[in-house]
């Protein structure tokens, strides 16, 4: 069936501006080196409206809406270009490096406890 729109009759969409540009760039045909500042900029990407109190409740009530948005607007494009760009693999390597960094950094430098970080690996 059709997905209900989120909130005040607004359909969920990929963010515009710098955040949307970052997602489009990752899904584009150009290879992005793992050392590129781009990957740190990608960490700042947030869905529009995320600061609103009921944002996650609305998503949990209609999980298919976010799934279809990510699949249609982002994932299909990323899969189509990944064979050439390799950006999905680089994305996974970037996250693996972040986890390794947090695992091996001094305890007081970690943003969260060892158990939480280790549970992600």
């Amino acid at each position: 069936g059709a997905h209900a729109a989120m909130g005040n009759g607004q359909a969920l969409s990929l963010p515009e501006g710098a955040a949307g540009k970052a997602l489009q760039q990752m899904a584009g045909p150009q290879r992005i080196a793992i050392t590129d500042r781009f990957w740190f900029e990608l960490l700042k990407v947030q869905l529009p409206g995320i600061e609103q109190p009921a944002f996650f409740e609305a998503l949990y009530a209609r999980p298919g809406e976010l799934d279809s948005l990510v699949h249609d607007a982002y994932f299909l494009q990323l899969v189509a270009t990944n064979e050439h760009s390799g950006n999905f693999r680089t994305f996974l390597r970037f996250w693996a490096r972040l986890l390794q960094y947090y695992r091996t950094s001094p305890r007081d430098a970690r943003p969260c406890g060892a158990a939480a970080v280790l549970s992600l690996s």
Side-chain angles (χ1 to χ4, degrees), residues 24-45:
Q24 289 174 351
Q25 186 179 346
M26 182 180 164
Q30 289 296 111
R31 183 179 299 266
I32 305 168
I34 196 165
T35 52
D36 196 294
R37 177 100 197 120
F38 167 84
W39 299 106
F40 289 99
E41 293 301 314
L42 194 66
L43 294 178
K44 300 175 189 173
V45 170

Side-chain angles (χ1 to χ4, degrees), residues 26-94:
M26 182 180 164
Q30 289 296 111
R31 183 179 299 266
I32 305 168
I34 196 165
T35 52
D36 196 294
R37 177 100 197 120
F38 167 84
W39 299 106
F40 289 99
E41 293 301 314
L42 194 66
L43 294 178
K44 300 175 189 173
V45 170
Q46 293 187 334
L47 287 169
I50 198 168
E51 66 285 339
Q52 295 172 5
F55 181 81
F56 287 103
E57 288 85 345
L59 284 183
Y60 297 147
R62 295 186 295 277
E65 188 170 334
L66 180 61
D67 288 351
S68 64
L69 166 73
V70 172
H71 181 264
D72 299 344
Y74 180 61
F75 187 70
L76 290 180
Q77 177 69 25
L78 182 61
V79 168
T81 58
N82 184 61
E83 190 172 335
H84 178 72
S85 73
N87 286 337
F88 185 66
R89 179 173 172 267
T90 306
F91 175 72
L92 296 178
R93 287 175 53 220
F94 174 76

Side-chain angles (χ1 to χ4, degrees), residues 34 89-103 117 120-121:
I34 196 165
R89 179 173 172 267
T90 306
F91 175 72
L92 296 178
R93 287 175 53 220
F94 174 76
W95 279 102
R97 281 188 181 188
L98 276 185
L99 288 174
Q100 178 64 17
Y101 170 77
Y102 286 128
R103 271 183 168 175
V117 173
L120 296 172
S121 62

